[in-house]
Amino acid sequence: MDKPIARGLLHEHGALLILLTAVLDIALIILLFFFTLHANNMALQGHYALALCNTLALFITLTTSASFYRVRRTSPLRQEIAQLLAFWLLAISSLAAFLFFFDSILIIDPSILRVWSVITPALLVLSRLILRGTSRFLRIHDSNFRN
């Protein structure tokens, strides 16, 4: 009788890992926005919440429509990081354009947006490096949990 092909735990739970990666990105974006506000002694006001929601919605739409969140064991890390940075740049550029057109209505401190737009992609990339490094470490040390 043929022995079934062993599938690793990482492979079996790929959908959960993809979901957790997306949730991690969203959580980082939100937490870094609040951190930036707090560091500048600003409270979350309606126009700041609108800016956050606008950027987050566009980022989620872009990543979802491009099927960005998927198992990436064999895809190059540079490609993933380049895509991530491109999606972030599009989302934050859209926010900047939105604020430019509604400047008289929405008054948002530009320094907050500058800081947030720089630290967020840096930490998103760092999270990718940690996730990929952990996955590689588990594979190298035969901890991919194959039966």
Side-chain angles (χ1 to χ4, degrees):
M1 188 164 171
D2 292 331
K3 183 178 177 184
I5 298 173
R7 294 173 61 160
L9 183 66
L10 296 176
H11 181 71
E12 289 177 5
H13 298 286
L16 178 61
L17 293 173
I18 290 167
L19 177 64
L20 290 175
T21 303
V23 168
L24 175 65
D25 285 352
I26 293 166
L28 277 173
I29 291 169
I30 294 169
L31 288 173
L32 290 170
F33 189 79
F34 282 108
F35 171 78
T36 305
L37 285 177
H38 180 71
N40 286 291
N41 295 319
M42 301 288 290
L44 180 66
Q45 299 168 0
H47 51 282
Y48 285 106
L50 179 63
L52 173 62
C53 290
N54 176 27
T55 307
L56 193 57
L58 185 55
F59 182 80
I60 292 168
T61 301
L62 290 169
T63 55
T64 303
S65 66
S67 300
F68 178 70
Y69 296 108
R70 62 183 185 271
V71 177
R72 296 186 173 267
R73 180 176 174 181
T74 58
S75 63
L77 179 61
R78 284 185 181 157
Q79 178 186 7
E80 181 180 1
I81 290 173
Q83 286 178 327
L84 181 67
L85 293 175
F87 294 139
W88 178 252
L89 183 62
L90 283 169
I92 205 73
S93 297
S94 148
L95 175 62
F98 180 79
L99 292 175
F100 176 78
F101 289 117
F102 295 101
D103 187 39
S104 61
I105 300 169
L106 300 172
I107 301 169
I108 294 183
D109 186 0
S111 65
I112 290 175
L113 293 180
R114 279 193 296 270
V115 170
W116 183 52
S117 66
V118 171
I119 64 170
T120 299
L123 287 177
L124 289 173
V125 168
L126 180 63
S127 73
R128 285 299 180 293
L129 293 172
I130 291 170
L131 290 172
R132 283 285 190 106
T134 302
S135 177
R136 182 175 179 178
F137 176 82
L138 291 173
R139 279 194 311 275
I140 289 173
H141 289 88
D142 201 27
S143 297
N144 196 12
F145 309 104
R146 291 191 185 270
N147 296 330

